[in-house]
Amino acid sequence: MRKIVFAVLLAAGAAFCAEVWTPQLALKVHSVSSVVPSPDGKFVVYAQSWAEMEGERSETVTHLFLARADGSGELQLTRGEKSCDQPQWSPDGKWILFLSSRGGKNDLWRIRADGGEAERLTESKVDLGGFKVSPDGKQVAFLAPDPPLPEKEKAQKEKRDFRVIDQEPEDHRLWLIPLEADGKGK
């Protein structure tokens, strides 16, 4: 009897899920990540991702949002076709720094915490990795490989940039850039 009840419940649950949860519905779900509270604890910045499916475009896009610590007053900080992620607050709470490939490569950007237009802090020929703002807000450290040598850069442009895995691996290094008093890279 227990097996029959379990089988009926399992079949009912599967039928319920099949009717309710569809791939189309799954594409409408927005996921939240990289939740970072402000230095004073009054606000939180976070990354929200969703599927973009228009015409030939089919990708996941991530943008930054700001809200009060209680979840109210949501404000979308970044927009556009290119994703923005890995938000971090400046120590004074006036700026939010993030990574985005808006300029072609994954570079460091910043935006005022109260909104506005984002400003590019780095113009790298390589994709930047993780970053961290110094406690005094005067510098930013980030990971990135060395810029490509001219012959490798030419090969990339000419689409001759194949490589054998583990042959000439790219080493990532720690880079440090100064920030001006207004939070902008020099």
Side-chain angles (χ1 to χ4, degrees), residues 1-113:
M1 181 65 173
R2 288 167 111 179
K3 289 181 182 179
I4 294 172
V5 171
F6 179 75
V8 169
L9 289 174
L10 184 62
F16 175 75
C17 288
E19 290 180 9
V20 176
W21 193 251
T22 64
Q24 291 81 12
L25 182 61
L27 291 174
K28 293 180 182 180
V29 173
H30 291 207
S31 62
V32 174
S33 63
S34 303
V35 179
V36 184
S38 63
D40 64 6
K42 294 180 181 177
F43 294 92
V44 64
V45 64
Y46 58 94
Q48 191 176 84
S49 302
W50 59 88
E52 286 280 332
M53 310 264 299
E54 293 180 18
E56 295 293 315
R57 189 167 182 229
S58 175
E59 61 187 82
T60 300
V61 177
T62 303
H63 282 290
L64 304 182
F65 289 77
L66 180 75
R68 290 185 188 90
D70 65 4
S72 66
E74 180 183 77
L75 169 69
Q76 185 173 351
L77 291 173
T78 62
R79 299 179 187 283
E81 290 186 7
K82 298 295 183 179
S83 290
C84 303
D85 55 15
Q86 298 186 36
Q88 288 185 28
W89 290 89
S90 63
D92 62 7
K94 293 180 181 178
W95 301 98
I96 297 168
L97 288 83
F98 60 94
L99 292 178
S100 179
S101 60
R102 297 169 168 208
K105 294 289 184 185
N106 212 26
D107 275 309
L108 188 59
W109 294 72
R110 69 152 183 174
I111 191 167
R112 292 195 61 83

Side-chain angles (χ1 to χ4, degrees), residues 108-150:
L108 188 59
W109 294 72
R110 69 152 183 174
I111 191 167
R112 292 195 61 83
D114 56 1
E117 191 64 34
E119 296 178 78
R120 192 178 190 177
L121 299 178
T122 60
E123 290 191 39
S124 180
K125 291 185 176 188
V126 295
D127 287 323
L128 304 187
F131 71 96
K132 184 76 174 164
V133 181
S134 66
D136 62 6
K138 293 182 179 181
Q139 299 176 335
V140 177
F142 59 88
L143 296 173
D146 287 327
L149 298 172

